[in-house]
Coordinates of all heavy atoms in Angstrom, one line a residue:
M225 N 155.4 -10.3 193.1 CA 156.0 -11.6 192.7 C 155.7 -12.7 193.7 O 155.7 -12.4 194.9 CB 157.4 -11.5 192.5 CG 157.8 -11.3 191.0 SD 159.5 -11.9 190.8 CE 160.4 -10.6 191.6
E226 N 155.4 -13.9 193.2 CA 155.1 -15.0 194.2 C 156.2 -15.3 195.1 O 156.1 -15.6 196.3 CB 154.6 -16.2 193.4 CG 153.2 -16.1 193.0 CD 152.8 -17.2 192.1 OE1 153.4 -18.2 192.1 OE2 151.8 -17.0 191.3
A227 N 157.4 -15.3 194.5 CA 158.6 -15.7 195.3 C 158.8 -14.7 196.5 O 159.1 -15.1 197.6 CB 159.8 -15.7 194.5
D228 N 158.6 -13.4 196.2 CA 158.7 -12.4 197.3 C 157.7 -12.6 198.4 O 158.1 -12.5 199.5 CB 158.5 -11.0 196.7 CG 159.8 -10.5 196.0 OD1 160.8 -11.2 196.2 OD2 159.7 -9.6 195.2
E229 N 156.5 -12.9 198.0 CA 155.5 -13.2 199.0 C 155.8 -14.3 199.9 O 155.7 -14.3 201.1 CB 154.1 -13.4 198.3 CG 153.4 -12.1 198.0 CD 152.2 -12.4 197.1 OE1 151.6 -13.4 197.2 OE2 151.9 -11.5 196.3
G230 N 156.4 -15.4 199.3 CA 156.8 -16.6 200.0 C 157.8 -16.2 201.1 O 157.8 -16.7 202.2
M231 N 158.8 -15.4 200.7 CA 159.8 -15.0 201.6 C 159.3 -14.2 202.7 O 159.7 -14.3 203.8 CB 160.9 -14.2 200.8 CG 161.9 -15.2 200.2 SD 162.8 -14.2 199.0 CE 163.1 -15.5 197.7
E232 N 158.3 -13.3 202.4 CA 157.8 -12.5 203.4 C 157.1 -13.3 204.5 O 157.2 -13.0 205.7 CB 156.7 -11.6 202.8 CG 157.2 -10.3 202.1 CD 157.3 -9.2 203.1 OE1 156.5 -9.0 203.9 OE2 158.3 -8.4 202.9
I233 N 156.5 -14.4 204.1 CA 155.8 -15.2 205.0 C 156.8 -16.0 205.8 O 156.8 -16.1 207.0 CB 154.8 -16.2 204.3 CG1 153.7 -15.4 203.7 CG2 154.3 -17.3 205.3 CD1 152.9 -16.1 202.6
M234 N 157.8 -16.6 205.1 CA 158.8 -17.4 205.7 C 159.6 -16.6 206.8 O 160.0 -17.1 207.8 CB 159.8 -17.9 204.7 CG 159.5 -19.3 204.3 SD 160.5 -19.7 202.8 CE 162.1 -19.9 203.6
F235 N 160.0 -15.3 206.4 CA 160.8 -14.6 207.3 C 160.1 -13.3 207.9 O 160.8 -12.4 208.3 CB 162.1 -14.1 206.6 CG 163.0 -15.3 206.2 CD1 163.0 -15.9 205.0 CD2 163.9 -15.8 207.2 CE1 163.9 -17.0 204.7 CE2 164.7 -16.8 207.0 CZ 164.7 -17.4 205.8
G236 N 158.8 -13.4 208.0 CA 158.0 -12.3 208.5 C 158.5 -11.8 209.9 O 158.6 -10.6 210.1
D237 N 158.8 -12.8 210.7 CA 159.2 -12.4 212.1 C 160.6 -11.8 212.1 O 160.9 -10.8 212.8 CB 159.2 -13.6 213.0 CG 160.0 -14.8 212.5 OD1 160.1 -14.9 211.2 OD2 160.4 -15.6 213.2
V238 N 161.5 -12.3 211.2 CA 162.8 -11.7 211.1 C 162.7 -10.2 210.6 O 163.3 -9.3 211.1 CB 163.7 -12.5 210.2 CG1 165.1 -12.0 210.2 CG2 163.7 -14.0 210.7
E239 N 161.9 -10.1 209.5 CA 161.7 -8.8 209.0 C 161.2 -7.8 210.0 O 161.6 -6.6 210.0 CB 160.7 -8.8 207.8 CG 161.1 -9.8 206.7 CD 161.7 -9.0 205.5 OE1 161.6 -7.8 205.5 OE2 162.2 -9.6 204.6
E240 N 160.3 -8.3 210.8 CA 159.7 -7.4 211.8 C 160.8 -6.9 212.8 O 160.9 -5.8 213.2 CB 158.7 -8.2 212.6 CG 157.5 -7.3 213.0 CD 156.4 -8.2 213.6 OE1 155.6 -8.7 212.8 OE2 156.3 -8.3 214.8
I241 N 161.7 -7.9 213.2 CA 162.7 -7.5 214.1 C 163.7 -6.5 213.5 O 164.1 -5.5 214.1 CB 163.5 -8.8 214.6 CG1 162.6 -9.6 215.4 CG2 164.7 -8.4 215.4 CD1 163.1 -11.1 215.6
V242 N 164.0 -6.8 212.2 CA 164.9 -5.9 211.5 C 164.3 -4.5 211.4 O 165.0 -3.5 211.6 CB 165.2 -6.4 210.1 CG1 165.9 -5.4 209.2 CG2 166.0 -7.7 210.2
R243 N 163.0 -4.4 211.2 CA 162.4 -3.1 211.0 C 162.3 -2.4 212.3 O 162.3 -1.2 212.4 CB 161.0 -3.3 210.5 CG 160.9 -2.9 209.0 CD 159.5 -3.1 208.4 NE 159.4 -4.2 207.5 CZ 158.5 -5.1 207.5 NH1 157.5 -5.0 208.3 NH2 158.5 -6.0 206.6
S244 N 162.3 -3.2 213.4 CA 162.2 -2.5 214.7 C 163.5 -2.0 215.2 O 163.6 -1.4 216.3 CB 161.5 -3.5 215.7 OG 162.4 -4.5 216.0
C245 N 164.6 -2.3 214.5 CA 165.9 -1.9 214.9 C 166.0 -0.4 214.7 O 165.5 0.2 213.8 CB 167.0 -2.5 214.0 SG 168.6 -2.1 214.5
R246 N 166.5 0.3 215.8 CA 166.5 1.8 215.8 C 167.5 2.4 214.8 O 167.3 3.6 214.5 CB 166.7 2.2 217.2 CG 168.1 2.1 217.6 CD 168.3 2.6 219.1 NE 168.1 1.5 220.0 CZ 168.2 1.6 221.3 NH1 168.5 2.8 221.8 NH2 168.1 0.6 222.1
F247 N 168.4 1.7 214.4 CA 169.4 2.3 213.6 C 169.1 2.2 212.1 O 168.7 1.2 211.6 CB 170.8 1.6 213.8 CG 171.2 1.7 215.2 CD1 171.3 0.6 216.0 CD2 171.5 2.9 215.8 CE1 171.6 0.6 217.3 CE2 171.9 3.0 217.1 CZ 171.9 1.8 217.9
Y248 N 169.2 3.3 211.4 CA 168.8 3.4 210.0 C 169.7 2.5 209.2 O 169.3 1.8 208.3 CB 168.8 4.8 209.5 CG 168.7 4.9 208.0 CD1 167.5 4.5 207.4 CD2 169.7 5.3 207.2 CE1 167.4 4.6 206.0 CE2 169.6 5.4 205.9 CZ 168.4 5.1 205.3 OH 168.3 5.1 203.9
D249 N 171.0 2.6 209.4 CA 172.0 1.9 208.6 C 172.7 0.9 209.4 O 173.9 0.7 209.3 CB 173.0 2.9 207.9 CG 173.6 2.3 206.7 OD1 173.0 1.4 206.2 OD2 174.6 2.9 206.3
C250 N 171.9 0.1 210.1 CA 172.6 -0.9 211.1 C 173.0 -2.1 210.3 O 172.4 -2.6 209.4 CB 171.5 -1.3 212.1 SG 172.2 -2.3 213.3
G251 N 174.2 -2.6 210.7 CA 174.7 -3.8 210.1 C 174.2 -5.0 210.9 O 174.4 -6.1 210.5
H252 N 173.5 -4.8 212.0 CA 173.0 -5.8 212.9 C 174.1 -6.8 213.3 O 173.9 -8.0 213.3 CB 171.8 -6.6 212.2 CG 170.8 -5.7 211.6 ND1 170.1 -4.7 212.3 CD2 170.4 -5.5 210.3 CE1 169.3 -4.1 211.5 NE2 169.4 -4.6 210.3
G253 N 175.2 -6.3 213.5 CA 176.4 -7.1 214.0 C 176.6 -6.9 215.5 O 176.0 -7.6 216.3
N254 N 177.5 -6.0 215.8 CA 177.9 -5.9 217.2 C 177.4 -4.5 217.8 O 177.8 -4.1 218.9 CB 179.4 -6.0 217.4 CG 179.8 -7.4 217.1 OD1 179.2 -8.4 217.6 ND2 180.8 -7.6 216.2
E255 N 176.5 -3.8 217.1 CA 176.0 -2.6 217.5 C 175.2 -2.7 218.8 O 174.3 -3.4 218.8 CB 175.2 -1.9 216.5 CG 175.9 -1.4 215.3 CD 176.0 -2.5 214.2 OE1 175.7 -3.7 214.5 OE2 176.3 -2.2 213.1
P256 N 175.6 -2.0 219.9 CA 174.8 -2.1 221.1 C 173.5 -1.5 220.9 O 173.4 -0.4 220.3 CB 175.6 -1.3 222.2 CG 176.8 -0.8 221.5 CD 176.8 -1.1 220.0
G257 N 172.4 -2.1 221.4 CA 171.1 -1.5 221.2 C 170.4 -2.0 219.9 O 169.3 -1.6 219.7
C258 N 171.1 -2.8 219.2 CA 170.5 -3.3 217.9 C 169.4 -4.3 218.3 O 169.6 -5.2 219.0 CB 171.6 -3.9 217.1 SG 171.0 -4.9 215.7
A259 N 168.3 -4.1 217.6 CA 167.1 -5.0 217.9 C 167.4 -6.4 217.5 O 167.0 -7.4 218.2 CB 165.9 -4.5 217.2
V260 N 168.1 -6.6 216.4 CA 168.4 -8.0 216.0 C 169.3 -8.7 217.0 O 169.2 -9.8 217.3 CB 169.1 -7.9 214.6 CG1 169.6 -9.3 214.2 CG2 168.1 -7.4 213.6
R261 N 170.3 -7.9 217.4 CA 171.3 -8.5 218.4 C 170.6 -8.9 219.7 O 170.8 -9.9 220.3 CB 172.4 -7.4 218.7 CG 173.6 -8.0 219.3 CD 174.6 -6.9 219.4 NE 175.0 -6.7 220.8 CZ 176.1 -7.0 221.3 NH1 177.1 -7.5 220.5 NH2 176.4 -6.9 222.6
E262 N 169.7 -8.0 220.1 CA 168.9 -8.3 221.3 C 168.1 -9.6 221.2 O 168.0 -10.4 222.0 CB 168.0 -7.1 221.6 CG 168.6 -6.2 222.7 CD 167.8 -4.9 222.8 OE1 166.6 -4.9 222.7 OE2 168.5 -3.8 222.9
A263 N 167.4 -9.7 220.0 CA 166.6 -10.8 219.7 C 167.4 -12.1 219.7 O 167.0 -13.1 220.2 CB 165.9 -10.6 218.4
L264 N 168.6 -12.0 219.2 CA 169.5 -13.1 219.1 C 169.9 -13.6 220.5 O 169.9 -14.7 220.8 CB 170.7 -12.8 218.2 CG 170.6 -12.9 216.7 CD1 171.8 -12.3 216.0 CD2 170.3 -14.3 216.2
E265 N 170.2 -12.5 221.3 CA 170.7 -12.8 222.7 C 169.6 -13.4 223.5 O 169.8 -14.2 224.4 CB 171.3 -11.6 223.3 CG 172.8 -11.4 222.9 CD 173.4 -10.1 223.3 OE1 172.7 -9.4 224.1 OE2 174.5 -9.8 222.8
S266 N 168.4 -12.9 223.3 CA 167.3 -13.4 224.2 C 166.7 -14.7 223.7 O 165.9 -15.3 224.3 CB 166.2 -12.3 224.2 OG 165.6 -12.2 222.9
G267 N 167.2 -15.1 222.5 CA 166.7 -16.4 222.0 C 165.4 -16.2 221.2 O 164.8 -17.2 220.7
K268 N 164.9 -14.9 221.1 CA 163.7 -14.7 220.3 C 163.9 -15.0 218.8 O 163.0 -15.5 218.1 CB 163.3 -13.2 220.5 CG 161.9 -12.9 220.0 CD 161.7 -11.4 220.2 CE 160.6 -10.9 219.3 NZ 160.6 -9.4 219.2
L269 N 165.2 -14.8 218.4 CA 165.5 -15.1 217.0 C 166.6 -16.1 217.0 O 167.7 -16.0 217.7 CB 166.0 -13.8 216.3 CG 166.5 -13.9 214.9 CD1 165.4 -14.4 214.0 CD2 167.0 -12.5 214.4
E270 N 166.4 -17.2 216.3 CA 167.4 -18.2 216.2 C 168.5 -17.8 215.2 O 168.3 -17.2 214.2 CB 166.7 -19.5 215.5 CG 166.3 -20.5 216.5 CD 165.8 -21.7 215.7 OE1 166.6 -22.6 215.3 OE2 164.6 -21.7 215.5
E271 N 169.7 -18.1 215.7 CA 170.9 -17.6 214.9 C 170.9 -18.2 213.5 O 171.2 -17.6 212.5 CB 172.2 -17.9 215.6 CG 173.3 -17.0 215.2 CD 174.5 -17.1 216.1 OE1 174.4 -17.5 217.2 OE2 175.5 -16.6 215.6
K272 N 170.5 -19.5 213.5 CA 170.4 -20.2 212.2 C 169.5 -19.5 211.2 O 169.8 -19.3 210.0 CB 169.9 -21.6 212.4 CG 170.6 -22.7 211.7 CD 170.3 -24.0 212.1 CE 169.0 -24.5 211.5 NZ 168.6 -25.9 212.0
R273 N 168.3 -19.1 211.7 CA 167.3 -18.4 211.0 C 167.9 -17.0 210.5 O 167.7 -16.6 209.4 CB 166.1 -18.1 211.9 CG 164.9 -18.7 211.3 CD 163.7 -18.6 212.2 NE 162.7 -17.7 211.8 CZ 162.0 -17.9 210.7 NH1 162.2 -19.0 210.0 NH2 161.0 -17.1 210.3
W274 N 168.5 -16.3 211.4 CA 169.1 -15.0 211.1 C 170.1 -15.1 210.0 O 170.1 -14.4 209.0 CB 169.7 -14.4 212.4 CG 170.5 -13.2 212.1 CD1 171.7 -12.9 212.4 CD2 169.9 -11.9 211.5 NE1 172.1 -11.6 212.0 CE2 171.0 -11.0 211.5 CE3 168.7 -11.5 211.1 CZ2 170.8 -9.7 211.0 CZ3 168.5 -10.2 210.6 CH2 169.6 -9.3 210.5
N275 N 171.0 -16.2 210.1 CA 172.0 -16.4 209.1 C 171.4 -16.7 207.7 O 171.9 -16.2 206.7 CB 172.9 -17.5 209.5 CG 173.9 -17.0 210.5 OD1 174.2 -15.9 210.6 ND2 174.4 -17.9 211.4
S276 N 170.3 -17.5 207.7 CA 169.7 -17.8 206.4 C 169.0 -16.6 205.8 O 169.0 -16.4 204.6 CB 168.8 -19.0 206.5 OG 167.9 -18.9 207.5
W277 N 168.5 -15.7 206.7 CA 167.9 -14.5 206.3 C 169.0 -13.6 205.6 O 168.8 -13.0 204.6 CB 167.2 -13.7 207.4 CG 166.4 -12.5 207.0 CD1 165.1 -12.5 206.5 CD2 166.9 -11.2 206.9 NE1 164.8 -11.2 206.2 CE2 165.8 -10.4 206.4 CE3 168.0 -10.5 207.3 CZ2 165.9 -9.0 206.3 CZ3 168.1 -9.1 207.1 CH2 167.1 -8.4 206.6
L278 N 170.1 -13.5 206.3 CA 171.2 -12.7 205.8 C 171.6 -13.2 204.4 O 171.9 -12.4 203.5 CB 172.4 -12.7 206.7 CG 172.4 -11.8 208.0 CD1 173.6 -12.1 208.8 CD2 172.3 -10.4 207.6
K279 N 171.7 -14.5 204.3 CA 172.1 -15.1 203.0 C 171.1 -14.7 201.9 O 171.5 -14.4 200.8 CB 172.2 -16.6 203.2 CG 173.3 -17.2 202.4 CD 173.3 -18.8 202.6 CE 173.0 -19.5 201.3 NZ 172.6 -20.9 201.5
L280 N 169.9 -14.8 202.3 CA 168.8 -14.4 201.3 C 168.9 -13.0 200.9 O 168.8 -12.7 199.7 CB 167.5 -14.7 202.0 CG 166.3 -14.6 201.1 CD1 166.1 -15.9 200.4 CD2 165.0 -14.3 201.9
Q281 N 169.2 -12.1 201.8 CA 169.4 -10.7 201.5 C 170.5 -10.5 200.5 O 170.4 -9.7 199.6 CB 169.6 -9.8 202.8 CG 168.5 -9.8 203.8 CD 167.2 -9.4 203.1 OE1 167.1 -8.2 202.6 NE2 166.2 -10.2 203.1
K282 N 171.6 -11.2 200.8 CA 172.7 -11.1 199.9 C 172.4 -11.5 198.5 O 172.7 -10.9 197.5 CB 173.9 -11.9 200.4 CG 174.9 -11.0 201.2 CD 176.1 -11.9 201.5 CE 176.7 -11.5 202.8 NZ 177.6 -12.5 203.4
E283 N 171.6 -12.7 198.4 CA 171.3 -13.2 197.1 C 170.3 -12.2 196.4 O 170.4 -12.0 195.2 CB 170.6 -14.5 197.3 CG 171.6 -15.7 197.4 CD 170.9 -16.9 197.9 OE1 169.7 -17.1 197.9 OE2 171.7 -17.8 198.4
M284 N 169.4 -11.7 197.2 CA 168.4 -10.7 196.6 C 169.2 -9.5 196.1 O 168.9 -9.0 195.0 CB 167.4 -10.3 197.7 CG 166.6 -11.4 198.2 SD 165.3 -11.8 197.0 CE 164.1 -10.6 197.4
A285 N 170.1 -9.0 196.8 CA 170.9 -7.8 196.4 C 171.7 -8.1 195.1 O 171.8 -7.3 194.2 CB 171.8 -7.4 197.5
H286 N 172.2 -9.3 195.1 CA 172.9 -9.8 193.9 C 172.0 -9.8 192.7 O 172.3 -9.3 191.6 CB 173.5 -11.2 194.2 CG 174.5 -11.6 193.2 ND1 175.7 -11.1 193.2 CD2 174.4 -12.5 192.2 CE1 176.4 -11.7 192.2 NE2 175.6 -12.5 191.6
L287 N 170.8 -10.3 192.9 CA 169.8 -10.4 191.8 C 169.4 -9.0 191.3 O 169.4 -8.8 190.1 CB 168.6 -11.2 192.3 CG 168.6 -12.7 192.2 CD1 167.3 -13.3 192.7 CD2 168.8 -13.1 190.7
E288 N 169.2 -8.1 192.3 CA 168.8 -6.8 192.0 C 169.9 -6.1 191.1 O 169.6 -5.4 190.2 CB 168.6 -6.0 193.3 CG 167.2 -6.3 193.9 CD 166.1 -5.8 193.0 OE1 166.1 -4.7 192.5 OE2 165.2 -6.7 192.8
A289 N 171.2 -6.3 191.6 CA 172.3 -5.7 190.9 C 172.3 -6.2 189.5 O 172.6 -5.4 188.5 CB 173.6 -6.0 191.6
K290 N 172.1 -7.5 189.3 CA 172.1 -8.1 188.0 C 171.1 -7.5 187.1 O 171.3 -7.1 186.0 CB 171.8 -9.6 188.2 CG 173.0 -10.5 187.7 CD 172.5 -11.9 187.9 CE 173.4 -12.9 187.3 NZ 172.9 -14.3 187.5
K291 N 169.9 -7.3 187.7 CA 168.8 -6.8 187.0 C 169.1 -5.3 186.5 O 168.8 -4.9 185.4 CB 167.5 -6.7 187.9 CG 166.4 -7.6 187.4 CD 165.1 -7.3 188.1 CE 164.9 -8.3 189.3 NZ 163.8 -7.8 190.2
E292 N 169.6 -4.6 187.5 CA 169.9 -3.2 187.2 C 171.0 -3.1 186.1 O 170.9 -2.2 185.3 CB 170.4 -2.5 188.5 CG 169.3 -1.7 189.1 CD 169.7 -0.9 190.3 OE1 170.8 -0.4 190.3 OE2 169.0 -0.9 191.3
G293 N 172.0 -4.0 186.2 CA 173.0 -4.0 185.2 C 172.4 -4.2 183.8 O 172.8 -3.5 182.8
K294 N 171.5 -5.1 183.7 CA 170.9 -5.4 182.5 C 170.1 -4.2 181.9 O 170.1 -3.9 180.8 CB 169.9 -6.6 182.6 CG 170.6 -7.9 182.3 CD 169.6 -9.0 182.3 CE 170.4 -10.4 182.3 NZ 169.5 -11.4 182.8
L295 N 169.4 -3.5 182.9 CA 168.6 -2.4 182.5 C 169.5 -1.3 181.9 O 169.2 -0.6 180.9 CB 167.8 -1.9 183.7 CG 166.5 -2.5 184.0 CD1 165.9 -1.9 185.3 CD2 165.5 -2.3 182.9
R296 N 170.6 -1.1 182.6 CA 171.5 0.0 182.2 C 172.1 -0.3 180.8 O 172.2 0.5 180.0 CB 172.6 0.1 183.2 CG 172.5 1.4 184.0 CD 173.5 1.5 185.0 NE 173.0 1.7 186.3 CZ 173.4 1.1 187.4 NH1 174.5 0.4 187.4 NH2 172.8 1.3 188.6
L297 N 172.3 -1.6 180.6 CA 172.8 -2.0 179.3 C 171.8 -1.7 178.2 O 172.1 -1.2 177.1 CB 173.1 -3.5 179.3 CG 174.1 -4.0 178.3 CD1 175.5 -3.6 178.8 CD2 174.1 -5.6 178.3
K298 N 170.5 -1.9 178.5 CA 169.5 -1.7 177.6 C 169.4 -0.2 177.3 O 169.3 0.2 176.1 CB 168.1 -2.1 178.2 CG 167.6 -3.3 177.5 CD 166.2 -3.6 177.9 CE 165.7 -5.0 177.4 NZ 164.5 -5.4 178.0
E299 N 169.5 0.6 178.3 CA 169.4 2.1 178.2 C 170.6 2.6 177.2 O 170.4 3.4 176.4 CB 169.6 2.8 179.5 CG 168.2 2.9 180.2 CD 168.4 3.4 181.6 OE1 169.4 4.0 182.0 OE2 167.5 3.1 182.4
K300 N 171.7 2.0 177.4 CA 172.9 2.4 176.6 C 172.6 2.0 175.1 O 172.9 2.8 174.2 CB 174.1 1.6 177.1 CG 174.9 2.5 178.0 CD 176.3 1.9 178.3 CE 176.9 2.6 179.4 NZ 177.9 1.8 180.0
Q301 N 172.0 0.8 174.9 CA 171.7 0.4 173.6 C 170.7 1.4 172.9 O 170.8 1.7 171.8 CB 171.1 -1.0 173.6 CG 172.2 -2.0 173.7 CD 171.7 -3.4 174.0 OE1 170.5 -3.6 174.2 NE2 172.5 -4.4 174.0
W302 N 169.8 1.8 173.7 CA 168.8 2.8 173.2 C 169.4 4.1 172.8 O 169.1 4.7 171.8 CB 167.7 3.0 174.3 CG 166.6 2.1 174.2 CD1 166.4 1.0 175.0 CD2 165.5 2.1 173.3 NE1 165.3 0.3 174.7 CE2 164.7 0.9 173.6 CE3 165.1 2.9 172.3 CZ2 163.5 0.6 172.9 CZ3 164.0 2.6 171.5 CH2 163.2 1.5 171.9
E303 N 170.3 4.5 173.7 CA 171.0 5.8 173.4 C 171.8 5.8 172.1 O 172.0 6.7 171.4 CB 171.9 6.2 174.6 CG 171.1 6.8 175.7 CD 171.9 6.9 177.0 OE1 173.2 6.7 176.9 OE2 171.3 7.0 178.1
G304 N 172.3 4.6 171.9 CA 173.2 4.4 170.7 C 172.5 4.5 169.4 O 173.0 4.6 168.3
R305 N 171.1 4.4 169.5 CA 170.4 4.4 168.2 C 170.3 5.7 167.5 O 170.2 6.7 168.1 CB 168.9 3.9 168.5 CG 168.9 2.4 168.4 CD 167.5 1.9 168.7 NE 167.6 0.5 169.1 CZ 166.5 -0.3 169.2 NH1 165.3 0.2 169.0 NH2 166.7 -1.5 169.5
Ligands
ZN179 ZN1 170.4 -3.6 214.0

């Protein structure tokens, strides 16, 4: 999707930092050793940028959930036939 590609470019550096975080299920909050936290502290990552990335993730998750809900509804309709 075009929108996804745009976001990858916009937040490519943030994504990279997130991926380099050593914790599998990190909330990137106050965990010591978190790559995101380190980047924020060193100024490598702007807090404003990080916050907008977080916001975007929430929106994306919301959209995904919506999509899945719709799919499930469709499946149910199919089963009912
Ligand atoms: Zn982290």
Side-chain angles (χ1 to χ4, degrees):
M225 261 207 288
E226 275 173 27
D228 281 345
E229 273 169 34
M231 274 166 215
E232 279 268 326
I233 292 160
M234 261 171 75
F235 290 99
D237 52 334
V238 184
E239 299 259 351
E240 214 171 279
I241 293 164
V242 170
R243 258 182 248 136
S244 70
C245 185
R246 74 181 90 175
F247 303 111
Y248 170 67
D249 202 18
C250 186
H252 312 301
N254 294 312
E255 289 90 343
C258 168
V260 172
R261 199 177 121 106
E262 263 169 37
L264 280 171
E265 275 172 11
S266 70
K268 194 180 154 196
L269 175 61
E270 260 182 90
E271 205 167 341
K272 221 170 84 183
R273 236 172 117 63
W274 173 239
N275 283 334
S276 48
W277 187 84
L278 278 180
K279 213 180 119 196
L280 191 80
Q281 294 305 300
K282 262 189 213 160
E283 275 166 21
M284 296 283 278
H286 192 75
L287 276 177
E288 282 296 312
K290 243 184 169 176
K291 244 194 265 168
E292 264 185 35
K294 267 188 195 160
L295 275 178
R296 252 179 237 139
L297 205 71
K298 251 191 190 165
E299 273 168 25
K300 264 193 191 156
Q301 280 169 353
W302 271 101
E303 278 165 20
R305 271 182 200 188

